[in-house]
Amino acid sequence: MPRPLIAITDIAAMQSNLSVAKAAMPGARVWAVVKADGYGHGLAWAMEGFAEADGLSLVELDRAIRLRELGWTKPLLMTEGMFSVADIADMQAHALQPVIHTQEQIAMLASAPAGSALDVHLKINTGMNRLGFEPARVREVHAALKALPVVRSIALMTHFANAENTSATLSAAVQTERFRACTEGLQGAVSLSNSAALLLQGQIRCDWVRPGIMLYGASPGVGTAASFGLHPAMTLKAELISVQELHPGDSVGYGSAFTADKTMRIGTVCCGYADGYPRHAPTGTPVLVDGVRTRTLGRVSMDMLCVDLDPVPSARVGSSVILWGEGLAIDEVAAAADTISYELMCAITPRVRREVRREARREVHRPLAAN
Ligand SMILES: *Cc1c(COP(=O)(O)O)cnc(C)c1O
């Protein structure tokens, strides 16, 4: 029997989360972001879950070509654009839409061999300072792109640094105003909002939105996913493979990082950092055993972690364990481990078995718990 550790991708949750994104800005078109194999959920399953999106957005050329092979015929946005002139032929052959964010990419387009024309996206750096042209150059760059025979259309985009934090100095409002000022009068569809802007900055309007994390059922950074009506698209599930009894003074695992002060039962779960569970999750990180909320104990090791069975007296070897997903928000685990849901989703390693669930959502019992 394979090790009982499995990551389940829930197609119905993805479909439902996409409808939340669509409802958040009626009339806007949606690029569903599927980089990193759909935030770790599996590329083909992400394509299936987001079949009703207007386009998919990613950064990996091989994955974009794979999406075409899988039958995706709608637009594909490549948010880092091309990395070499050779990529242009692939983009032409597969009708991929590159973001253009450097002078070097404009030069690549200028030297591209003849082929079908591309729809490109002019990326403007409104303060993120990661990719894009400075606002003062936008008109010149727009004109240069427009003059290239290989360019069919030019869309306009920027990316927010702090959409979840309205009091940030570099707020989404500040970036939006910079964007507006430097693009005034230019033709082209406008694409601005990530999940946080879409859910939290209702005043920002644009032609296309680019939600990622919310589609996978995690919080955009403020508020719980459930409070936005989002459902977890990934459940990481394991079993207890051992039960031990501790007596006062006994410790658990490497470094003896947890010591019992009373007699207690603990369980050992077949999931560790080599599976993608965060090693930095401290004692107290939430976990469900047989649907009951309890906590991790001691250090996470490569293949295992230990949990407190005090709240679950009936637990035994074979009991089901949910590390995150249905009934336990991934955001809670991420917060305990001092990281973000994105990183946990993307970190699941290949040795974890994968399964897909397609049934419509049934209401699950959510244990009463702290937020
Ligand atoms: C990853 C990414 C997104 C999606 O962001 P979320 O926070 O996951 O919604 C949107 N736009 C760009 C350019 C990105 O790189």
Side-chain angles (χ1 to χ4, degrees):
M1 170 178 168
R3 197 158 159 260
L5 172 63
I6 187 160
I8 304 162
T9 294
D10 185 336
I11 301 290
M14 291 168 144
Q15 292 166 335
S16 161
N17 296 337
L18 177 62
S19 60
V20 173
K22 288 184 170 186
M25 202 188 290
R29 282 178 283 174
V30 177
W31 293 112
V33 181
V34 300
K35 60 199 181 194
D37 285 335
Y39 287 41
H41 290 66
L43 187 69
W45 290 334
M47 179 181 118
E48 184 179 343
F50 307 140
E52 298 301 318
D54 300 287
L56 300 178
S57 167
L58 66 168
V59 296
E60 307 92 346
L61 184 57
D62 61 335
R63 298 299 196 280
I65 294 170
R66 181 80 192 121
L67 286 167
R68 289 293 185 226
E69 290 165 358
L70 289 166
W72 184 264
T73 55
K74 290 190 268 187
L76 289 173
L77 173 65
M78 308 302 293
T79 53
E80 291 178 347
M82 57 272 189
F83 306 101
S84 80
V85 73
D87 295 346
I88 294 175
D90 284 323
M91 292 191 166
Q92 290 171 316
H94 299 282
L96 311 182
Q97 303 185 18
V99 163
I100 302 300
H101 60 85
T102 62
Q103 197 60 43
E104 287 78 1
Q105 289 174 321
I106 297 177
M108 289 177 203
L109 286 174
S111 68
S116 46
L118 294 171
D119 296 309
V120 307
H121 299 253
L122 199 179
K123 177 77 174 268
I124 303 167
N125 175 13
T126 55
M128 181 83 164
N129 289 320
R130 201 173 58 169
L131 297 183
F133 294 96
E134 58 180 301
R137 288 200 55 206
V138 166
R139 272 152 220 286
E140 164 216 333
V141 169
H142 192 273
L145 287 171
K146 207 169 169 185
L148 295 173
V150 75
V151 171
R152 177 168 50 210
S153 73
I154 308 168
L156 303 164
M157 72 180 276
T158 196
H159 192 51
F160 297 129
N162 299 296
E164 72 288 352
N165 177 8
T166 45
S167 57
T169 310
L170 184 67
S171 65
V174 165
Q175 288 190 264
T176 303
E177 177 49 29
R178 287 180 188 168
F179 180 88
R180 194 202 56 74
C182 73
T183 58
E184 205 163 12
L186 290 180
Q187 300 257 303
V190 168
S191 152
L192 304 176
S193 299
N194 58 2
S195 299
L198 187 53
L199 291 174
L200 303 165
Q201 313 273 346
Q203 76 288 359
I204 296 174
R205 311 288 308 175
C206 49
D207 301 310
W208 286 79
V209 293
R210 302 188 309 271
I213 196 69
M214 67 174 291
L215 301 180
Y216 302 98
S219 164
V222 168
T224 63
S227 71
F228 295 104
L230 302 171
H231 297 287
M234 179 194 287
T235 293
L236 182 62
K237 201 172 159 183
E239 288 183 6
L240 292 185
I241 58 167
S242 169
V243 173
Q244 308 278 338
E245 187 169 283
L246 300 187
H247 300 285
D250 289 347
S251 65
V252 177
Y254 291 118
S256 297
F258 174 81
T259 301
D261 58 6
K262 59 177 182 184
T263 298
M264 61 191 291
R265 288 170 80 238
I266 69 164
T268 302
V269 181
C270 58
C271 180
Y273 63 78
D275 301 301
Y277 193 90
R279 200 187 78 94
H280 291 102
T283 289
T285 301
V287 55
L288 302 184
V289 176
D290 280 340
V292 177
R293 189 184 172 102
T294 179
R295 56 176 184 149
T296 64
L297 297 176
R299 269 191 208 157
V300 173
S301 49
M302 185 182 288
D303 309 317
M304 286 168 264
L305 58 84
C306 292
V307 296
D308 187 351
L309 295 183
D310 256 10
V312 211
S314 60
R316 51 176 180 76
V317 169
S319 284
S320 110
V321 177
I322 288 183
L323 285 318
W324 63 68
E326 221 172 87
L328 176 60
I330 190 169
D331 293 300
E332 285 195 61
V333 178
D338 199 18
T339 183
I340 53 175
S341 62
Y342 303 67
E343 189 180 33
L344 299 186
M345 292 173 181
C346 295
I348 299 295
T349 62
R351 79 174 185 180
V352 177
R353 281 182 306 134
R354 298 286 189 152
E355 227 174 60
V356 65
R357 212 178 71 187
R358 295 190 170 82
E359 318 93 86
R361 167 153 309 285
R362 51 192 158 72
E363 270 325 300
V364 295
H365 167 67
R366 282 179 197 283
L368 290 174
N371 284 319

